[in-house]
């Protein structure tokens, strides 16, 4: 299964989060994602102005493990798996503070924080997606109670490492993780408070959430942890930078190595060698034929050798171009081995090319025609089409060996920066003169927007799913992304 989510990351970037979920009963799983990007020709994005290197400069991709999934209520239960494993690792480290026990303790601490973040995010998102106010209230009460229970359970574990055998770096691991968890809890409580302030009357639930936030903030003050304060710009700047560092520190446990290198190098060089050989055969045949007809050291032979040499180079370059095109269509631009430490979990390949509309499958063009902004758009607008291909292979056996927690697969978090698409855009607003209600001339600012359509075809096993996203943007950046 491929779980695809998209959102606006910032003014100039779109984020596509692709979760490649490997089946547990299969030793290996293969996935493919074909992405067609339809760009209006007026933006001058084509194979001459926008090369492969430009595209890969604008695409940033991070490969990470899918966080082990646990419900918040399950973590809150006494003796839950995440808390039990964390407690065991802390006891082992405190009893025998060697390098291996410290690494396992740090690993479990970071993994626990990542699990908490994921469960809080999923729980709050689930509540925000509900429609009935009674259901929202009940779920919010459970959220507040379970979050408080996890908060207290985690802090009771501090006593385990409060031992003379634990070195300062051991305390720092706990302190960093503690600060990250506190901030994550407050952020998710704030999301629910915003929901209630938008119009749902829930005094009891609001009080529970505010009391929980006050409890966490009081704990943070006691431990001298930074957090957001009203109108304290300098402190808030330090807080935000620190949280960014903590996020990298904690979630770094999930990120995988995927060092890219060019794909199809051996095949490409073999085909280039063949082209050179064919060109040499042509030159040799010409020289042999003229020498046999005119003899040695004659002017016709001399001229023939010069012409054959010139044509040999042209034939070689033409053959190289032909083979390069064939290699490009059959192979990918880059490939990367997906690794967790020294363990290979699979591989990833990617390639991008501009293609003509005739090479786009009809099912994709049918999807592209859906949701046009105006009726004449399909017949009037000329577009350039980019095809971005991605193939992923996951070894299920290796995935199961890297941690005791159950892992579903890997996430590929891809961000596409559209800043290069903005160069040839007009101003975001254009003035237009109109008559107002009183019959007087006035000026109205008309918004000048452009649309980029992205159609993604995700395939795994025998299932194929097509997604269509329509991006509205102007010269100031991305305005909206909508799934058709």
């Amino acid at each position: 299964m491929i779980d695809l989510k998209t959102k606006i990351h910032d003014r100039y970037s779109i984020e596509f989060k692709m979760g490649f979920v490997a089946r547990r009963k299969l030793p290996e799983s293969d996935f493919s994602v074909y992405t067609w990007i339809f760009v209006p020709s007026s933006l001058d994005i084509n194979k001459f102005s926008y090369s492969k290197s430009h595209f890969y400069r604008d695409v940033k991709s991070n490969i990470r493990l899918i966080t082990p999934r646990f419900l918040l209520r399950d973590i809150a239960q006494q003796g839950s798996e995440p808390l039990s494993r964390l407690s065991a690792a802390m006891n082992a480290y405190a009893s025998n503070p060697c390098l291996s026990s410290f690494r396992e303790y740090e690993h479990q601490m970071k993994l626990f924080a990542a699990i908490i973040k994921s469960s809080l995010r999923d729980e709050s998102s689930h509540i925000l997606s509900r429609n009935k106010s009674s259901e929202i209230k009940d779920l919010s009460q459970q959220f507040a109670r379970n979050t408080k229970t996890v908060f207290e359970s985690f802090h009771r574990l501090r006593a385990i490492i409060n031992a003379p055998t634990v070195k300062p770096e051991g305390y720092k691991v706990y302190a960093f993780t503690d600060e990250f968890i506190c901030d994550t809890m407050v952020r998710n409580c704030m999301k629910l408070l915003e929901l209630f302030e938008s119009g749902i009357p829930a005094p009891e639930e609001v009080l529970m959430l505010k009391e929980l936030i006050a409890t966490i903030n009081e704990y943070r003050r006691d431990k001298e942890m930074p957090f957001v304060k009203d109108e304290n710009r300098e402190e808030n700047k330090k807080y935000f930078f620190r949280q960014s560092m903590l996020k990298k520190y904690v979630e770094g446990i999930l990120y995988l190595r995927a060092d890219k290198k060019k794909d199809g190098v051996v095949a490409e060089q073999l085909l280039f060698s063949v082209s050179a050989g064919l060109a040499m055969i042509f030159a040799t045949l010409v020289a042999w034929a003229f020498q046999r007809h005119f003899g040695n050291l004659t002017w016709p032979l001399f001229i023939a050798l010069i012409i054959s040499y010139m044509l040999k180079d042209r034939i070689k370059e033409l053959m190289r171009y032909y083979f390069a095109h064939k290699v490009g269509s059959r192979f990918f631009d880059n490939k990367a081995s997906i690794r967790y430490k020294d363990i290979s979990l699979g591989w990833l390949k990617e390639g991008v090319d501009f293609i003509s509309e005739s090479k786009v499958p009809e099912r994709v063009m049918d999807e592209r025609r859906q949701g046009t902004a105006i009726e004449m758009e399909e017949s009037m607008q000329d577009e350039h089409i980019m095809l971005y291909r991605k193939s992923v292979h996951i070894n299920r056996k290796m995935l199961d060996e890297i941690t005791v927690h159950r892992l579903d697969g890997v996430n590929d978090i891809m961000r596409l920066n559209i800043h290069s698409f903005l160069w040839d855009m007009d101003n975001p607003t254009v003035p237009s003169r109109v008559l107002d209600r009183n019959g007087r001339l006035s000026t109205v600012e008309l918004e000048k927007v452009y649309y980029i359509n992205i159609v993604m075809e995700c395939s795994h096993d025998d299932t194929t799913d097509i997604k269509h996203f329509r991006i509205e943007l102007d010269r100031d950046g991305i305005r909206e992304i909508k799934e058709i």
Side-chain angles (χ1 to χ4, degrees):
M1 182 182 77
I2 301 178
D3 182 20
L4 176 62
K5 297 177 182 177
T6 185
K7 68 176 183 179
I8 298 175
H9 179 263
D10 56 51
R11 181 182 295 181
Y12 302 111
S13 297
I14 308 161
E15 180 177 291
F16 297 93
K17 185 177 181 180
M18 292 170 277
F20 300 105
V21 181
R23 292 179 58 181
R24 300 191 65 82
K25 294 182 179 181
L26 292 179
E28 297 178 333
S29 293
D30 289 286
F31 309 85
S32 67
V33 180
Y34 277 56
T35 303
W36 290 267
I37 305 175
F38 298 83
V39 184
S41 58
S42 60
L43 300 185
D44 196 32
I45 299 294
N46 53 59
K47 61 182 179 181
F48 301 108
S49 63
Y50 193 69
S51 64
K52 290 176 182 281
S53 60
H54 279 98
F55 178 81
Y56 289 118
R57 178 199 62 191
D58 292 339
V59 169
K60 179 182 179 181
S61 186
N62 289 317
I63 311 295
R64 51 170 286 178
L65 296 170
I66 295 177
T67 308
R69 296 182 179 180
F70 291 90
L71 292 174
L72 185 61
R73 65 169 181 251
D74 293 338
I75 301 173
Q77 291 179 357
Q78 186 175 5
S80 65
E81 181 183 342
L83 282 167
S84 297
R85 294 194 183 279
L86 178 58
S87 175
M90 294 174 74
N91 275 303
Y93 170 60
S95 301
N96 181 24
C98 60
L99 182 60
S100 60
S101 64
F102 172 78
R103 287 178 175 172
E104 178 63 18
Y105 156 68
E106 186 180 34
H107 174 87
Q108 290 298 332
M109 191 67 71
K110 292 180 179 180
L111 192 57
F112 178 79
I115 290 171
I116 292 297
K117 180 188 175 183
S118 179
S119 62
L120 288 169
R121 180 200 62 215
D122 293 345
E123 193 75 23
S124 60
S125 298
H126 176 68
I127 296 171
L128 293 172
S129 68
R130 300 299 91 188
N131 296 320
K132 295 182 179 179
S133 58
S134 59
E135 187 179 6
I136 292 174
K137 291 179 182 180
D138 291 340
L139 291 172
S140 297
Q141 287 186 15
Q142 295 175 29
F143 176 88
R145 284 195 293 267
N146 291 329
T147 302
K148 186 177 181 180
T149 300
V150 173
F151 175 77
E152 294 171 345
S153 299
F154 177 72
H155 292 139
R156 281 196 291 269
L157 297 180
R158 181 190 289 269
I160 298 176
I161 59 168
N162 190 8
T165 54
V166 176
K167 298 178 180 179
E169 55 264 29
Y171 288 112
K172 285 182 180 180
V173 170
Y174 183 90
F176 292 156
T177 308
D178 190 13
E179 187 176 342
F180 177 84
I181 290 175
C182 287
D183 184 74
T184 304
M185 288 179 171
V186 169
R187 284 175 182 267
N188 283 275
C189 288
M190 291 293 187
K191 288 182 184 179
L192 299 183
L193 284 178
E194 288 179 2
L195 174 64
F196 292 126
E197 287 186 358
S198 65
I200 299 177
E204 183 179 351
E205 289 73 17
V206 168
L207 181 61
M208 290 178 67
L209 291 169
K210 287 185 176 180
E211 287 180 347
L212 177 57
I213 292 173
T215 299
I216 296 174
N217 284 342
E218 183 61 33
Y219 174 83
R220 293 160 105 180
R221 273 189 289 267
D222 181 60
K223 300 299 179 183
E224 297 182 348
M225 296 180 188
F227 58 95
V228 178
K229 301 177 180 67
D230 292 337
E231 299 180 358
N232 194 330
R233 187 173 180 178
E234 192 63 28
E235 288 298 318
N236 290 342
K237 180 177 67 175
K238 293 179 181 178
Y239 155 80
F240 189 73
F241 179 77
R242 184 176 177 85
Q243 288 306 313
S244 299
M245 294 297 101
L246 285 173
K247 183 176 183 291
K248 293 177 181 178
Y249 171 76
V250 168
E251 296 186 353
I253 194 69
L254 298 172
Y255 281 91
L256 303 172
R257 286 177 52 199
D259 299 327
K260 295 181 182 179
K261 60 181 180 180
K262 189 175 180 180
D263 187 36
V265 174
V266 175
E268 181 183 64
Q269 294 304 316
L270 286 174
L271 291 175
F272 286 172
S273 299
V274 170
S275 68
L278 291 174
M280 190 62 195
I281 290 173
F282 169 80
T284 303
L285 286 174
V286 169
W288 177 76
F290 271 75
Q291 186 178 23
R292 184 177 180 183
H293 184 75
F294 294 104
N296 294 328
L297 301 177
T298 61
W299 280 107
L301 176 62
F302 178 72
I303 295 172
L305 288 175
I306 293 175
I307 295 174
S308 67
Y309 184 81
M310 294 165 57
L311 292 177
K312 177 180 75 72
D313 281 351
R314 292 303 91 209
I315 291 172
K316 183 173 72 172
E317 291 303 315
L318 287 172
M319 294 297 291
R320 280 171 62 91
Y321 178 81
Y322 174 77
F323 285 141
H325 177 73
K326 289 297 183 182
V327 169
S329 62
R330 293 178 179 272
F331 293 87
F332 292 82
D333 298 327
N334 304 309
K335 63 180 179 181
S337 176
I338 302 173
R339 307 185 69 84
Y340 181 80
K341 297 181 180 179
D342 295 328
I343 301 174
S344 177
L345 303 179
W347 49 256
L348 177 149
K349 296 182 179 182
E350 61 180 355
V352 66
D353 291 285
F354 279 92
I355 61 173
S356 62
E357 184 177 326
S358 61
K359 293 184 179 180
V360 180
E362 189 59 34
R363 63 184 182 279
V364 176
M365 290 306 303
D366 289 341
E367 184 64 38
R368 161 64 188 95
R369 297 183 187 107
Q370 300 298 319
T372 53
I374 57 175
E375 292 181 0
M376 68 179 70
E377 178 184 345
E378 180 184 340
S379 58
M380 296 293 292
Q381 180 161 285
D382 184 26
E383 293 178 318
H384 295 293
I385 306 171
M386 279 188 289
L387 172 59
Y388 176 55
R389 301 171 293 143
K390 181 170 288 187
S391 181
V392 179
H393 174 85
I394 298 176
N395 188 314
R396 179 77 245 185
K397 182 181 177 181
M398 294 294 102
L399 192 66
D400 291 335
E401 289 183 358
I402 62 177
T403 181
V404 293
H405 294 292
R406 185 180 64 185
L407 295 172
D408 291 335
V410 301
N411 279 329
D412 181 5
I413 304 172
M414 183 185 78
R415 293 176 190 166
L416 173 62
N417 188 296
I418 53 86
H419 203 274
S420 299
F421 293 55
L422 310 181
W423 292 110
D424 288 321
M425 287 188 179
D426 294 334
N427 290 329
T429 58
V430 178
S432 178
R433 301 288 279 172
V434 297
L435 289 175
D436 62 15
R437 294 179 180 179
N438 299 320
R440 291 176 299 189
L441 280 173
S442 63
T443 302
V444 175
E445 294 292 333
L446 304 180
E447 297 179 345
K448 174 67 173 177
V449 298
Y450 300 80
Y451 295 97
I452 293 175
N453 287 270
I454 297 179
V455 178
M456 304 181 74
E457 184 181 78
C458 306
S459 301
H460 173 49
D461 293 338
D462 297 327
T463 61
T464 300
D465 188 24
I466 294 183
K467 298 281 188 179
H468 180 185
F469 301 100
R470 188 177 181 86
I471 303 162
E472 180 182 300
L473 60 162
D474 61 21
R475 196 168 185 173
D476 291 334
I478 301 167
R479 293 166 57 93
E480 181 186 26
I481 181 167
K482 180 181 179 182
E483 183 173 355
I484 306 300

